[in-house]
Amino acid sequence: SGGYMMACVADRIVASPFAVLGSIGVISEIPNAYQRLKDEGIEFQTVTAGKFKRTLTPTKKITKEDIAKSKEDIEAVLLQFSGFVKANRPSLDIDAVATGETWFGNAALEKGLCDDIKTVDDVLLNYVDLGYDVLEVDYSPPPEVPEGLAQLLPFGQAAMGEEGGGSLPRRAVRWLVDVVADEVRSAIDEKTSVQQRYMAKDDTSDRVQMRD
């Protein structure tokens, strides 16, 4: 439901065939251990100011008045929720969908919860056909180097003192790291533009093979 609340502000909602949309409703639940605590001889005291500061809690005896107030509270949240969705999708029959129910792709389309049914690949390939630059951005965080091994890397040289210091194995590892770093920088320099480095490619022919 929270996901649809974020999605409904879009000008157009495209859902995959097996996407689950809806769940425009509110739920509140909490376990209650009052009777068990009472059986064990444990009395839990709560001091509040304000008649409805505490209604449903795990430790107090729940009254009909508490349940009625909680129901009133979540009904108010539902009005806020459904009103927000209706404001962003005016054509939606909000009374028909603000029931807490969910619908799969095509059924959701019939209800007006989305505007089209397509897979992610269909959407991206359509943008490519229209001449847009479709970019694929991938972020790989740098690996965490154990503190002891950090001294073997170039950025650990300051901690070692003079550059080139240390034992022969450490100098050998530093040399290897420098060589690999130079190769990586060289490879990156060969493809400097964002389009060359991140352009998404249609690899359907590589992934899908037709056999007799």
Side-chain angles (χ1 to χ4, degrees):
S1 59
Y4 191 77
M5 187 176 186
M6 292 185 287
C8 74
V9 301
D11 295 328
R12 181 176 173 80
I13 297 178
V14 180
S16 65
F18 292 98
V20 180
L21 286 79
S23 191
I24 303 174
V26 184
I27 184 173
S28 174
E29 56 185 3
I30 188 170
N32 186 269
Y34 169 78
Q35 189 60 48
R36 181 56 184 268
L37 292 173
K38 181 179 179 181
D39 293 343
E40 297 294 337
I42 301 172
E43 183 178 351
F44 197 93
Q45 296 288 349
T46 302
V47 179
T48 62
K51 182 178 180 180
F52 293 112
K53 182 60 180 177
R54 284 289 182 270
T55 51
L56 302 184
T57 76
T59 55
K60 67 172 287 189
K61 182 178 181 179
I62 304 301
T63 66
K64 292 182 178 180
E65 188 178 32
D66 292 331
I67 295 175
K69 176 56 179 174
S70 295
K71 177 68 173 176
E72 179 184 331
D73 291 342
I74 64 173
E75 288 285 356
V77 176
L78 177 59
L79 286 175
Q80 290 287 324
F81 187 179
S82 59
F84 181 83
V85 174
K86 179 66 176 177
N88 285 280
R89 292 186 69 83
S91 61
L92 192 62
D93 183 356
I94 195 64
D95 292 332
V97 296
T99 60
E101 297 172 87
T102 58
W103 294 269
F104 285 104
N106 286 309
L109 179 62
E110 293 176 2
K111 291 287 185 180
L113 290 165
C114 61
D115 304 296
D116 201 357
I117 301 295
K118 287 183 179 179
T119 65
V120 173
D121 288 343
D122 289 335
V123 173
L124 294 177
L125 291 175
N126 182 57
Y127 280 124
V128 171
D129 292 340
L130 293 174
Y132 288 92
D133 288 340
V134 179
L135 307 179
E136 181 181 25
V137 179
D138 179 55
Y139 171 69
S140 298
E144 295 183 5
V145 181
E147 186 176 351
L149 295 179
Q151 299 297 324
L152 302 177
L153 302 177
F155 55 73
Q157 290 175 354
M160 292 179 57
E162 295 182 2
E163 185 175 350
S167 64
L168 179 61
R170 288 187 175 185
R171 292 200 301 272
V173 172
R174 271 203 307 274
W175 172 82
L176 179 60
V177 171
D178 287 339
V179 171
V180 173
D182 288 341
E183 289 293 332
V184 172
R185 282 193 291 268
S186 176
I188 292 176
D189 290 340
E190 291 177 1
K191 295 182 178 181
T192 55
S193 71
V194 174
Q195 284 79 5
Q196 287 177 308
R197 292 175 60 188
Y198 299 110
M199 182 70 72
K201 297 180 178 61
D202 181 6
D203 61 348
T204 306
S205 59
D206 297 330
R207 295 186 289 108
V208 180
Q209 297 181 359
M210 302 295 294
R211 296 183 179 179
D212 295 334

